[in-house]
Amino acid sequence: MISLLITLVLVFLLQLLFYSWWWIILIPLVLGYFEKDSVSKAVLGNGIGVFLLWFGMSLYQWNWGGEIIVTRIAQVMGAGSGLVLALATGVIGFLVAAIAGYAGFSLRKTIIKEYQIS
Amino acid sequence: MRILKTVVAFVFLIGLFILLNNSQGSIPPLGKFLNPFAGFWQNGSRLDQIEEVLDVKGLRQEVKVVWDERQVPHIFAQNDYDAYFAQGFLTARHRLWQMEFQTHVAAGRVSEIIGSKALEFDKLQRRRGLLMAAEIGNNKMNEDPDSQLILQAYANGVNTWIENLTPATLPLEYKLLNYEPEVWSTLKTALLLKFMAWDLTGRNSEMDLSVIRSALGDDFVKRFYPVHTPRLDPVIPSAKPWRFDPLVADEIPPPFEPQFVRDLRMNEPDRDNGSNNWAVAGKKTASGFPILANDPHLGLKLPSIWYEIQLNTPNMNVYGVSLPGAPAVIIGFNDDIAWGLTNAGSDVMDWFEIEFSDETYAEYMYAGEWIKADLRVEEILIKGEDAYLDSFPKTRFGPLVHFGKHTLGNGHPVGLAMRWSAHEPSNEMGAIRSMNTASNLEEFYAALETFDAPGQNFAFAAKDGDIAIRHNGKFPLRAEDQGKFVRAGRDTTGEWRQWIPKNQLPSISNPWQGYVSSANQNPTAKKYPYYMGWDYDDYERGSRINDRLKAVNNTDFYHMQQLQMDNFNKQAQLMLPLMLKQLDSEGFSGEELRILNDLKTWNFVSDPNQKAAWVYKQWWLHLEKAIWEDELTLYGELRELPGRSVTAELLLRNKKNKHYDDIRTPAAEDRRTVIQNSFYQTVIDLQEELGPYGESWELGRARGTNINHLLSVKGLGRTDLFTGGGVGIVNATKKTHGPSWRMIVELGDSIKAQGLYPGGQSGNPGSPYYDNAVDGWVRGEYYNIHFLTSPTVSGNSKLALTHLRNYQ
């Protein structure tokens, strides 16, 4: 739960300041690396954190002045409705962050393992 | 094992990053695009928010901007520089992507944005010399200090806006196509002006006419492609005497037969790019003040072609529409005068067949000698690929646009060069600026002296009571029919040597009839001493406008609106009675009888709910085809058909004629059979397309109007609009084409004006101001224009004020 919140808050702040989408790779990668307990935390904590952020932020934008643009883009992308579009945004965020979290976690394990062997 | 897992995870992650960070075909980069902090989610209506104070780097003094309820900016500046700076700044705020994209199209730089699929288009644009023309124009305009100031101030304003953008506030289309805006320059404005010139003068039927002439002979061309078409009601009333000594063009020999023009018709602007304008003198208006009306017809797109604006400085107060990307007001009014434009349609583009000595295209034959051609090299950048270098020779006849495929009998390569008046140096910016500040007819005509391309009919009305119209532009002095066919570049006979003096151009002021008008028809009757071209629009719109203006007294805004929205089909009034008379209804099915009955009772008004209007239109097209398709399908392509009025005249006057006969069938068709057969064929085709005769056959449904996004992205346009009107009708609305700005101005003690355009001020598809005027445009509901005298907003809830503060 805490790792989820850390992901959410960190990515939120960095994206608010610097916009780039790849913060959802970088932060989960780093957080995954420092996640000592379990792989599921690294994967789900990051994944769900980013899902909630991206899905939530999409809903926020949609409701605050985004009615027209969301309807149009839903049509452009064949998404059916704004909700589908917001969910798709969240799911892509989840996928990317989860994989990044896993990669970070796995990297640390590899380094530790290599270190122990040598 | 662990290493393997890690490597796989990273490979997967990197792959995902590449996939989501880059466009995949037409799919935008999804990571960027869906990012709720900077992707499309940010392009909502919050971008429309009006600030009370904006710090703007580069202004000289504070500028006040009043926004009205349609988000039209009314700019109050203390000097000219700031006015045009603010125009650039605010236009970019609403339309940055559109203005930049259009200049990329003009310059042949689309491959930079969408990749090599646009390479052929870009090559053709470059070879047409649009970039070259813009460079020439830009140099010329920048020689004039006033024009230079305007252009540079505007560019600085645009660039200040671009600097203020963040990844989140970037216009949607940049996000869709995954690129970023570049620095604006005065060259881009020049490009935009040339692009407009291309759109209005780039259509050319010379190649078709050459093919038709060589296949069917001189007499055929003379009879069916005449300079003065039947029923012509010219822009300048035929009674006007011409009191000047005209220049005399050199005689030219008969046209030669070019060999290689059969497959050269591509990407030419719409035939019906045209417009209506008129001015009515005070003696015919209810208020006693002159009224001017204008509605330019262009391809309808979103974002809208026009951007409405008011510019106020201590020595200027002008309102109207501007082209996003160009400073000042193109069509509009000020405290003293109003003006409107329609396309002149006179011929300003000629094609020449040029013979080269060899494949290097370094020398071409001219007057018995080999002349050196200049080679122009164009570097075309392509997204994701290496740049492409294209080169083409420039001749004294202009750039060689089509070449590389054909050789003459002697083995010499041959190509087609394009002589176009817009390739000449000219300063339209200076002309437009002078029009914006003119206060009477004399000053207005003086402004037109430097307006060369595109040639336009300028209708004019002034507070002092004057009305006038002038067919203005840079028009070459021509012998009869010069420019109707492709000419040989190897001799000097088809060359342009002189221009028609501006003071001898067709014009009239304060005619006794109390009105002037134009609708792209031939500007003059036979008495006018110059030949200016032949491919003008037919008589119907112009004639209908004149009929109504002649009949009206005490006219007012309402009448003027009615006239702009007039759906009366004059061509149907002329032809339908004959067509119905020839029709034998024996053996008609029930459905055919119903259709026939509706046609018989139709009042010739092409309102959107009229089924007969669409049936008639299709029937006429089928009839034209039935008459001409056999003769005019030459080298596998249906060539330019004779004008509607010419075909109509043939049908009205001749019961029997060899052209009625379809030479591909054994039967000998006459007028009755072509009319009968084309009716049957129309019904069959429409039934197949629209189903049983019913609601779906109504004009507004069967045709209607689509206003597509500039990129034709589905979902960003407005489609299936229930519209009436059509070709040859004053309300010249078609499927994707029509009145792009309707304006009516009354020049009384205080100026009153109404306007309407099919779109909105904002270029952002996420804004309500993107298409807020579309529904009103369909119904003809005009809005009152706020022509403000001061930046005071108190007491008017429709207005809001922004201070643009000078910030260093």
Side-chain angles (χ1 to χ4, degrees), chain B residues 403-449:
Chain B
F403 64 101
K405 281 189 187 156
H406 303 293
T407 50
L408 293 173
N410 58 10
H412 290 158
V414 72
L416 283 176
M418 183 178 93
R419 183 88 166 93
W420 182 32
S421 66
H423 285 145
E424 298 285 315
S426 60
N427 179 11
E428 277 74 29
M429 203 65 253
I432 293 164
R433 153 78 184 175
S434 304
M435 273 188 252
N436 285 194
T437 55
S439 58
N440 55 45
L441 184 58
E442 200 183 333
E443 287 176 21
F444 189 75
Y445 274 3
L448 294 186
E449 287 301 315

Coordinates of all heavy atoms in Angstrom, one line a residue, chain B residues 403-449:
Chain B
F403 N 8.4 16.7 -66.3 CA 9.5 16.3 -67.3 C 10.0 15.0 -66.8 O 9.7 14.5 -65.8 CB 10.6 17.4 -67.3 CG 11.4 17.6 -66.1 CD1 12.6 17.0 -65.9 CD2 10.9 18.4 -65.0 CE1 13.3 17.2 -64.7 CE2 11.6 18.6 -63.9 CZ 12.8 17.9 -63.7
G404 N 10.9 14.5 -67.7 CA 11.6 13.2 -67.3 C 11.0 12.0 -68.0 O 11.5 10.9 -67.9
K405 N 9.8 12.2 -68.7 CA 9.2 11.0 -69.2 C 9.2 10.9 -70.7 O 9.2 9.8 -71.3 CB 7.7 11.0 -68.8 CG 7.5 10.5 -67.4 CD 6.0 10.4 -67.1 CE 5.7 10.1 -65.7 NZ 4.3 10.5 -65.3
H406 N 9.3 12.0 -71.4 CA 9.1 12.0 -72.8 C 10.3 12.6 -73.6 O 10.9 13.5 -73.1 CB 7.8 12.8 -73.2 CG 6.6 12.2 -72.5 ND1 6.1 11.0 -72.7 CD2 5.8 12.7 -71.5 CE1 5.1 10.8 -71.9 NE2 4.9 11.8 -71.2
T407 N 10.4 12.1 -74.8 CA 11.4 12.7 -75.7 C 10.7 13.0 -77.1 O 9.7 12.4 -77.4 CB 12.6 11.8 -76.0 OG1 12.1 10.5 -76.3 CG2 13.5 11.7 -74.8
L408 N 11.3 13.9 -77.8 CA 10.7 14.2 -79.1 C 11.3 13.2 -80.1 O 12.2 12.4 -79.8 CB 11.1 15.6 -79.5 CG 10.5 16.8 -78.7 CD1 11.1 18.1 -79.1 CD2 9.0 16.8 -79.0
G409 N 10.8 13.3 -81.4 CA 11.3 12.4 -82.4 C 12.8 12.5 -82.6 O 13.5 11.5 -82.9
N410 N 13.4 13.7 -82.3 CA 14.8 13.8 -82.5 C 15.6 13.4 -81.3 O 16.8 13.6 -81.2 CB 15.2 15.3 -82.8 CG 14.7 16.2 -81.7 OD1 14.3 15.8 -80.7 ND2 14.7 17.5 -82.0
G411 N 14.9 12.8 -80.4 CA 15.6 12.2 -79.2 C 15.8 13.3 -78.1 O 16.3 12.9 -77.0
H412 N 15.4 14.5 -78.3 CA 15.6 15.5 -77.2 C 14.5 15.4 -76.2 O 13.3 15.2 -76.5 CB 15.5 16.9 -77.9 CG 16.7 17.2 -78.7 ND1 16.7 18.2 -79.7 CD2 17.9 16.7 -78.7 CE1 17.9 18.3 -80.2 NE2 18.6 17.4 -79.7
P413 N 14.9 15.4 -74.9 CA 13.9 15.4 -73.9 C 13.0 16.6 -73.9 O 13.4 17.7 -74.3 CB 14.7 15.3 -72.6 CG 16.1 15.6 -72.9 CD 16.2 15.5 -74.4
V414 N 11.8 16.5 -73.4 CA 10.8 17.6 -73.5 C 10.0 17.6 -72.2 O 9.8 16.6 -71.5 CB 9.9 17.4 -74.7 CG1 8.9 16.3 -74.5 CG2 9.2 18.7 -75.1
G415 N 9.7 18.8 -71.8 CA 8.9 19.0 -70.5 C 8.0 20.1 -70.6 O 7.9 20.9 -71.6
L416 N 7.2 20.4 -69.6 CA 6.2 21.5 -69.5 C 6.6 22.5 -68.5 O 6.7 22.1 -67.3 CB 4.8 21.0 -69.3 CG 4.1 20.3 -70.4 CD1 2.8 19.8 -69.9 CD2 3.9 21.2 -71.6
A417 N 6.8 23.7 -68.9 CA 7.1 24.8 -68.0 C 5.8 25.6 -67.7 O 4.9 25.7 -68.5 CB 8.2 25.7 -68.5
M418 N 5.8 26.1 -66.5 CA 4.6 26.9 -66.0 C 4.9 28.3 -65.8 O 5.7 28.7 -64.9 CB 4.1 26.2 -64.7 CG 2.8 26.8 -64.2 SD 2.3 26.0 -62.6 CE 3.1 27.0 -61.4
R419 N 4.2 29.2 -66.6 CA 4.3 30.6 -66.4 C 3.2 31.0 -65.6 O 2.0 30.8 -66.0 CB 4.3 31.3 -67.8 CG 4.5 32.8 -67.7 CD 6.0 33.2 -67.7 NE 6.2 34.6 -68.0 CZ 6.3 35.5 -67.0 NH1 6.2 35.2 -65.8 NH2 6.5 36.8 -67.4
W420 N 3.4 31.7 -64.4 CA 2.4 32.0 -63.5 C 2.6 33.4 -62.9 O 3.7 33.7 -62.5 CB 2.3 30.9 -62.4 CG 1.3 31.1 -61.4 CD1 0.0 31.5 -61.5 CD2 1.4 30.7 -60.0 NE1 -0.7 31.5 -60.4 CE2 0.1 30.9 -59.4 CE3 2.4 30.1 -59.2 CZ2 -0.1 30.7 -58.0 CZ3 2.1 29.8 -57.9 CH2 0.9 30.1 -57.3
S421 N 1.6 34.2 -62.9 CA 1.8 35.6 -62.5 C 2.2 35.7 -61.0 O 2.9 36.6 -60.6 CB 0.5 36.4 -62.7 OG -0.5 35.9 -61.9
A422 N 1.9 34.6 -60.2 CA 2.3 34.7 -58.8 C 3.8 34.4 -58.6 O 4.3 34.6 -57.5 CB 1.5 33.7 -58.0
H423 N 4.5 34.0 -59.7 CA 5.9 33.9 -59.6 C 6.6 35.3 -59.7 O 7.8 35.4 -59.5 CB 6.5 33.0 -60.8 CG 6.2 31.6 -60.6 ND1 5.9 30.7 -61.6 CD2 6.2 30.8 -59.5 CE1 5.8 29.5 -61.1 NE2 5.9 29.5 -59.8
E424 N 5.8 36.3 -60.1 CA 6.4 37.6 -60.2 C 6.5 38.3 -58.8 O 5.7 38.0 -57.9 CB 5.4 38.5 -61.0 CG 5.2 38.1 -62.4 CD 6.4 38.4 -63.3 OE1 6.9 39.5 -63.2 OE2 6.8 37.5 -64.1
P425 N 7.5 39.2 -58.6 CA 7.6 39.9 -57.3 C 6.5 40.8 -57.1 O 6.1 41.5 -58.1 CB 9.0 40.6 -57.4 CG 9.3 40.7 -58.9 CD 8.6 39.5 -59.6
S426 N 5.8 40.7 -56.0 CA 4.7 41.7 -55.7 C 4.6 41.8 -54.2 O 5.1 41.0 -53.4 CB 3.4 41.1 -56.3 OG 3.1 39.9 -55.7
N427 N 3.9 42.9 -53.8 CA 3.8 43.2 -52.4 C 2.3 43.3 -52.0 O 1.7 44.4 -51.8 CB 4.5 44.5 -52.1 CG 4.4 44.9 -50.6 OD1 4.0 44.1 -49.8 ND2 4.8 46.2 -50.3
E428 N 1.7 42.1 -51.9 CA 0.3 42.1 -51.5 C 0.1 42.6 -50.1 O -1.0 43.1 -49.8 CB -0.3 40.7 -51.7 CG -0.8 40.3 -53.1 CD 0.4 40.1 -54.0 OE1 1.5 39.6 -53.5 OE2 0.3 40.3 -55.2
M429 N 1.1 42.4 -49.3 CA 0.9 42.8 -47.9 C 0.7 44.3 -47.8 O -0.1 44.8 -47.0 CB 2.2 42.4 -47.1 CG 2.0 42.2 -45.6 SD 0.9 40.9 -45.3 CE -0.5 41.8 -44.8
G430 N 1.5 45.0 -48.5 CA 1.4 46.5 -48.6 C 0.0 46.9 -49.0 O -0.6 47.8 -48.5
A431 N -0.5 46.2 -50.1 CA -1.8 46.5 -50.6 C -2.9 46.2 -49.6 O -3.8 47.1 -49.4 CB -2.0 45.6 -51.9
I432 N -2.8 45.1 -48.9 CA -3.8 44.8 -47.9 C -3.8 45.8 -46.7 O -4.8 46.3 -46.3 CB -3.6 43.3 -47.4 CG1 -3.8 42.3 -48.5 CG2 -4.5 43.0 -46.2 CD1 -3.3 40.9 -48.3
R433 N -2.6 46.1 -46.3 CA -2.5 47.1 -45.2 C -3.1 48.4 -45.7 O -3.8 49.1 -44.9 CB -1.0 47.3 -44.9 CG -0.6 48.6 -44.3 CD -0.9 48.7 -42.9 NE -0.6 50.1 -42.4 CZ -0.9 50.6 -41.2 NH1 -1.5 49.8 -40.3 NH2 -0.5 51.8 -40.9
S434 N -2.8 48.9 -46.9 CA -3.4 50.1 -47.4 C -4.9 50.1 -47.5 O -5.6 51.0 -47.3 CB -2.8 50.5 -48.7 OG -1.4 50.6 -48.6
M435 N -5.4 48.9 -47.9 CA -6.9 48.7 -47.9 C -7.5 48.9 -46.6 O -8.5 49.5 -46.4 CB -7.2 47.3 -48.4 CG -7.3 47.1 -49.9 SD -7.9 45.4 -50.1 CE -6.5 44.7 -50.7
N436 N -6.8 48.3 -45.6 CA -7.3 48.3 -44.2 C -7.4 49.8 -43.7 O -8.2 50.1 -42.8 CB -6.4 47.6 -43.2 CG -6.5 46.0 -43.4 OD1 -6.0 45.3 -42.6 ND2 -7.1 45.6 -44.4
T437 N -6.6 50.7 -44.2 CA -6.6 52.0 -43.7 C -7.2 53.0 -44.7 O -7.3 54.2 -44.4 CB -5.2 52.5 -43.3 OG1 -4.4 52.3 -44.5 CG2 -4.6 51.7 -42.2
A438 N -7.6 52.6 -45.8 CA -8.2 53.5 -46.8 C -9.5 54.1 -46.3 O -10.2 53.4 -45.5 CB -8.5 52.7 -48.1
S439 N -9.8 55.3 -46.7 CA -11.0 55.9 -46.2 C -12.0 56.4 -47.3 O -13.1 56.8 -47.1 CB -10.7 57.2 -45.3 OG -9.9 58.1 -46.1
N440 N -11.5 56.2 -48.6 CA -12.4 56.5 -49.7 C -12.0 55.7 -50.9 O -11.0 55.0 -50.9 CB -12.5 58.0 -50.0 CG -11.0 58.5 -50.3 OD1 -10.3 57.9 -51.0 ND2 -10.7 59.6 -49.6
L441 N -12.8 55.8 -52.0 CA -12.5 55.0 -53.2 C -11.1 55.3 -53.8 O -10.5 54.3 -54.2 CB -13.6 55.3 -54.2 CG -13.6 54.4 -55.5 CD1 -13.6 52.9 -55.2 CD2 -14.7 54.8 -56.5
E442 N -10.8 56.5 -53.8 CA -9.5 56.9 -54.4 C -8.3 56.1 -53.7 O -7.5 55.5 -54.3 CB -9.3 58.4 -54.3 CG -8.3 59.0 -55.2 CD -8.1 60.5 -55.0 OE1 -9.1 61.1 -54.5 OE2 -7.0 61.0 -55.2
E443 N -8.4 56.2 -52.3 CA -7.3 55.5 -51.6 C -7.4 54.0 -51.7 O -6.4 53.3 -51.8 CB -7.5 55.9 -50.1 CG -7.0 57.3 -49.8 CD -7.3 57.6 -48.3 OE1 -7.4 56.7 -47.4 OE2 -7.4 58.8 -48.0
F444 N -8.6 53.5 -51.9 CA -8.8 52.1 -52.0 C -8.2 51.6 -53.4 O -7.4 50.6 -53.4 CB -10.3 51.7 -52.0 CG -10.5 50.2 -51.9 CD1 -10.3 49.5 -50.8 CD2 -11.0 49.5 -53.1 CE1 -10.5 48.1 -50.7 CE2 -11.2 48.2 -53.0 CZ -10.9 47.4 -51.9
Y445 N -8.5 52.3 -54.4 CA -7.9 52.0 -55.7 C -6.4 52.1 -55.7 O -5.7 51.3 -56.4 CB -8.5 52.9 -56.8 CG -9.8 52.3 -57.4 CD1 -10.4 51.2 -56.9 CD2 -10.5 52.9 -58.5 CE1 -11.6 50.7 -57.4 CE2 -11.7 52.4 -59.0 CZ -12.2 51.3 -58.5 OH -13.4 50.8 -59.0
A446 N -5.9 53.1 -55.0 CA -4.4 53.3 -54.9 C -3.8 52.1 -54.2 O -2.8 51.6 -54.6 CB -4.1 54.6 -54.1
A447 N -4.5 51.6 -53.2 CA -4.0 50.3 -52.5 C -4.0 49.2 -53.5 O -3.0 48.3 -53.4 CB -5.0 50.0 -51.4
L448 N -4.9 49.1 -54.4 CA -5.0 47.9 -55.3 C -3.8 47.9 -56.3 O -3.6 46.9 -57.0 CB -6.3 47.9 -56.1 CG -7.5 47.6 -55.2 CD1 -8.8 47.5 -56.1 CD2 -7.4 46.4 -54.4
E449 N -3.2 49.1 -56.5 CA -2.1 49.1 -57.5 C -1.0 48.1 -57.2 O -0.4 47.6 -58.1 CB -1.4 50.5 -57.4 CG -2.3 51.6 -58.0 CD -2.6 51.4 -59.5 OE1 -1.7 51.0 -60.2 OE2 -3.7 51.6 -59.9

